[in-house]
Amino acid sequence: MLIDTYGRVATDLRVSLTDRCNLRCTYCMPEEGLQWLAKPDLLTDDEIVRLVRIAVTRLGIEEIRFTGGEPLLRPGLVGIVERCAALEPRPKMSLTTNGIGLKRTAEALKAAGLDRVNVSLDTLRPDVFKTLTRRDRHHDVLEGLEAARAAGLTPVKVNTVLMPGLNDDEAPDLLAWAVEHDYELRFIEQMPLDAQHGWKREGMITAGDILASLRTRFDLTEEGSERRGSAPAERWLVDGGPHRVGVIASVTRPFCAACDRTRLTADGQVRTCLFATEETDLRAALRAADSSDEEIARIWKLAMWGKKAGSGLDDPAFLQPERPMSAIGG
């Protein structure tokens, strides 16, 4: 069991499969990209599966989320999913992706055992998409979403970040579109994870701003904390249901007290929080000649035992982490 000193138990594992991405989103990385991890530093497919197996069979992990960077860029992705789906007990498995490439991989991922996907899409306007991502791939994302739904990777969740002066007026249109296409829309407050350190708390589109905008067109009924559990998103029924919209308010409404997540970076480091400034190395233990599952599990438990009470995002003096989102996974 992965328990910390505050009594929280991690049952949800986020696994970053690569630090690479085929977009250059302004809130994530600079236009010229980043210094990618060297291939020898990345976990191999076998190492990823071994760590997932240890997490599931020895540490009580019940859910796996594959992330990046962009996980669809990982050549062995389908095989990793298939091998993890064969574990006993079988974990629930999902994938967070930008949707580019999902059209050609959705059916294979479903056949391998993936349960559902989260797709990032911040705008319905192709020109705004190009400004935000520095790539002209809007249509590819829409096709990827359709392919995911057709393949049965449901519920298909769409993650949206609103940025001042770019897409901050789109919340009602995005929700109407999501309801029409049977996607579950989730707005995420912009977080300080950009490599160029351009994030500023002032002017950020907050959860309150998002809900006020949505209520100009929709009637929202809060589901409540009992239905939410440890999920990061607060959810509302849209016009009485059955469709829902979520808001992940990491900055203005931190949910650290209910956190049930542990994270693996693409180079085999345990992170107790997305915003943690410290990591624990599992890769060295994996590659040691006398490594055992028991020792790796012990190191992982010790790392989680030291998890802090909160992320620090509610502190106005919060310092941004040195590693950008693409390196540590969302």
Side-chain angles (χ1 to χ4, degrees), residues 12-81:
D12 185 334
L13 170 61
R14 308 295 170 96
V15 182
S16 176
L17 297 179
T18 179
D19 60 330
R20 297 174 184 265
C21 188
N22 42 13
L23 296 181
R24 296 292 181 269
C25 296
T26 56
Y27 51 78
C28 185
M29 68 171 74
E31 185 171 6
E32 65 274 14
L34 298 165
Q35 181 72 40
W36 305 126
L37 292 168
K39 188 172 182 180
D41 293 336
L42 291 169
L43 294 178
T44 66
D45 293 1
D46 287 344
E47 289 171 336
I48 290 170
V49 173
R50 183 182 177 191
L51 286 176
V52 171
R53 176 175 55 77
I54 292 169
V56 169
T57 62
R58 293 177 179 268
L59 298 174
I61 291 298
E62 299 171 355
E63 297 187 34
I64 309 294
R65 173 83 61 82
F66 297 109
T67 70
E70 173 46 52
L72 294 182
L73 295 180
R74 177 88 187 200
L77 172 61
V78 173
I80 290 171
V81 170

Side-chain angles (χ1 to χ4, degrees), residues 22-279:
N22 42 13
L23 296 181
R24 296 292 181 269
C25 296
T26 56
Y27 51 78
C28 185
M29 68 171 74
E31 185 171 6
E32 65 274 14
L34 298 165
Q35 181 72 40
W36 305 126
L37 292 168
K39 188 172 182 180
D41 293 336
L42 291 169
L43 294 178
T44 66
D45 293 1
D46 287 344
E47 289 171 336
I48 290 170
V49 173
R50 183 182 177 191
L51 286 176
V52 171
R53 176 175 55 77
I54 292 169
V56 169
T57 62
R58 293 177 179 268
L59 298 174
I61 291 298
E62 299 171 355
E63 297 187 34
I64 309 294
R65 173 83 61 82
F66 297 109
T67 70
E70 173 46 52
L72 294 182
L73 295 180
R74 177 88 187 200
L77 172 61
V78 173
I80 290 171
V81 170
E82 187 172 34
R83 292 168 67 185
C84 292
L87 294 171
E88 292 290 344
R90 183 199 187 282
K92 297 178 182 177
M93 292 187 297
S94 58
L95 178 89
T96 295
T97 172
N98 61 30
I100 297 173
L102 193 53
K103 180 181 179 181
R104 66 175 182 272
T105 56
E107 289 189 4
L109 287 168
K110 180 64 176 179
L114 192 70
D115 295 304
R116 64 172 190 82
V117 293
N118 287 22
V119 179
S120 299
L121 180 65
D122 300 321
T123 178
L124 297 176
R125 305 168 185 163
D127 60 324
V128 176
F129 181 91
K130 187 174 181 178
T131 298
L132 278 167
T133 68
R134 305 183 178 104
R135 297 291 186 271
D136 190 11
R137 305 298 296 274
H138 190 257
H139 185 65
D140 294 316
V141 180
L142 295 181
E143 288 189 335
L145 280 161
E146 293 171 3
R149 184 182 57 196
L153 293 170
T154 55
V156 175
K157 296 184 179 181
V158 177
N159 294 340
T160 296
V161 177
L162 296 181
M163 304 282 287
L166 285 172
N167 61 341
D168 52 340
D169 61 336
E170 286 196 69
D173 289 340
L174 281 159
L175 182 52
W177 166 82
V179 167
E180 178 186 354
H181 291 85
D182 200 25
Y183 304 140
E184 184 174 322
L185 182 62
R186 309 192 314 168
F187 292 97
I188 304 175
E189 287 183 337
Q190 184 193 1
M191 295 178 282
L193 290 168
D194 57 321
Q196 60 269 41
H197 301 311
W199 180 85
K200 288 182 173 55
R201 188 179 296 266
E202 310 80 52
M204 182 190 74
I205 309 301
T206 68
D209 298 330
I210 294 164
L211 291 169
S213 178
L214 293 176
R215 285 186 169 121
T216 63
R217 196 182 306 179
F218 301 95
D219 178 54
L220 303 181
T221 306
E222 189 171 3
E223 278 197 331
S225 57
E226 287 133 6
R227 291 293 301 275
R228 181 183 183 184
S230 62
E234 298 175 76
R235 298 201 308 178
W236 284 261
L237 290 172
V238 179
D239 292 337
H243 293 96
R244 293 169 172 81
V245 64
V247 178
I248 299 177
S250 300
V251 179
T252 62
R253 304 180 189 178
F255 39 86
C256 302
C259 181
D260 65 349
R261 284 167 288 289
T262 183
R263 299 173 183 275
L264 279 175
T265 67
D267 55 349
Q269 310 300 304
V270 172
R271 290 180 70 94
T272 59
C273 173
L274 185 60
F275 305 100
T277 56
E278 298 175 347
E279 299 174 334

